[in-house]
Amino acid sequence: MLLKILNFMVSVWLQFWFTGLIKNKKEKYNFQKISIYDKVAEILKKLGIAPDKNGFHYLRKAIYECYLEPNLLTSITKEIYPMLAESFSKKESCIERSIRSAIETGWDRGNYEYSNELFKNCVDYYYKTKPTNGEFIAIIVDKLMMEEGRTSY
C-alpha cells in the first residue's frame, strides 16, 4: 500500500515537473537577475567601461537595483550610493567617484556611435559633455525597461 502511494506521488511530481507547472520563484528571480546583469554588462562594455574597474561593478549593481525599483532613480545620492557602499563595504564618496571615473573613461574610449545612439538627447558631443552619474544610470535603466516592455515607472 505504501509503495502504491509513493509511486503515485512520484508520478504526479514528475508530471508537474515535466509540464513546468512547478516553478520555483527564487530560481525565476535568479534567472531574471542573471539575464539583466548580462544585459547591463554588455551595454557597459559597448560603452567602453572595462569590467576590471570597480566602477563597472558599482554601475551594474546600481542599474540592476534601479531596474527592479525605478523609484530609486530619483534618489541616487540618498539611496543608491548608501546601498552600494554597504554592499561593497566602501564609502559613499568612493562609490560615487568610481562610477564617475568609469563613465569618464568609457566616454573617452568607448564606442562613439553606440554612445551617441543611447545618449543623444542628454549630451552635446560638440562640447564634449558627458552624462552625470544619475543620467547615465537612468538612461540605461530606461533602455532595459523599454526592451522588456515596461515603460511606466
Side-chain angles (χ1 to χ4, degrees):
M1 181 71 171
L2 183 62
L3 187 58
K4 285 183 180 182
I5 293 172
L6 187 60
N7 191 18
F8 175 75
M9 290 175 62
V10 168
S11 67
V12 169
W13 182 82
L14 286 175
Q15 182 182 12
F16 281 123
W17 186 73
F18 281 118
T19 59
L21 295 176
I22 294 178
K23 292 182 181 176
N24 186 345
K25 290 182 181 179
K26 190 167 188 143
E27 286 179 11
K28 185 176 180 185
Y29 172 78
N30 287 339
F31 176 74
Q32 182 186 17
K33 181 177 179 179
I34 291 169
S35 175
I36 296 299
Y37 261 37
D38 289 344
K39 286 180 183 179
V40 171
E42 182 181 326
I43 291 169
L44 293 177
K45 288 175 191 173
K46 278 185 185 178
L47 290 171
I49 299 173
D52 63 334
K53 303 287 184 196
N54 286 336
F56 176 90
H57 302 287
Y58 302 155
L59 270 171
R60 184 171 59 177
K61 175 99 170 144
I63 292 167
Y64 175 73
E65 293 297 332
C66 288
Y67 175 82
L68 291 180
E69 189 64 43
N71 295 332
L72 293 175
L73 287 170
T74 60
S75 55
I76 298 287
T77 307
K78 298 215 181 247
E79 293 190 38
I80 291 294
Y81 292 157
M83 181 187 337
L84 293 174
E86 184 180 329
S87 177
F88 289 99
S89 301
K90 300 286 184 184
K91 291 181 181 177
E92 293 174 29
S93 60
C94 178
I95 298 288
E96 187 272 333
R97 187 175 52 248
S98 294
I99 289 175
R100 186 170 14 96
S101 175
I103 292 171
E104 286 175 3
T105 303
W107 205 252
D108 291 339
R109 60 180 172 162
N111 183 345
Y112 173 77
E113 291 81 22
Y114 188 69
S115 297
N116 190 25
E117 174 189 329
L118 208 57
F119 298 100
K120 63 185 168 195
N121 293 330
C122 78
V123 296
D124 186 1
Y125 281 96
Y126 183 73
Y127 294 109
K128 297 186 178 182
T129 59
K130 62 175 184 56
T132 64
N133 294 359
E135 288 174 334
F136 189 88
I137 292 168
I139 287 171
I140 294 177
V141 168
D142 190 50
K143 175 184 172 37
L144 291 169
M145 292 180 92
M146 289 178 70
E147 285 177 358
E148 297 288 324
R150 289 176 44 195
T151 55
S152 63
Y153 295 118

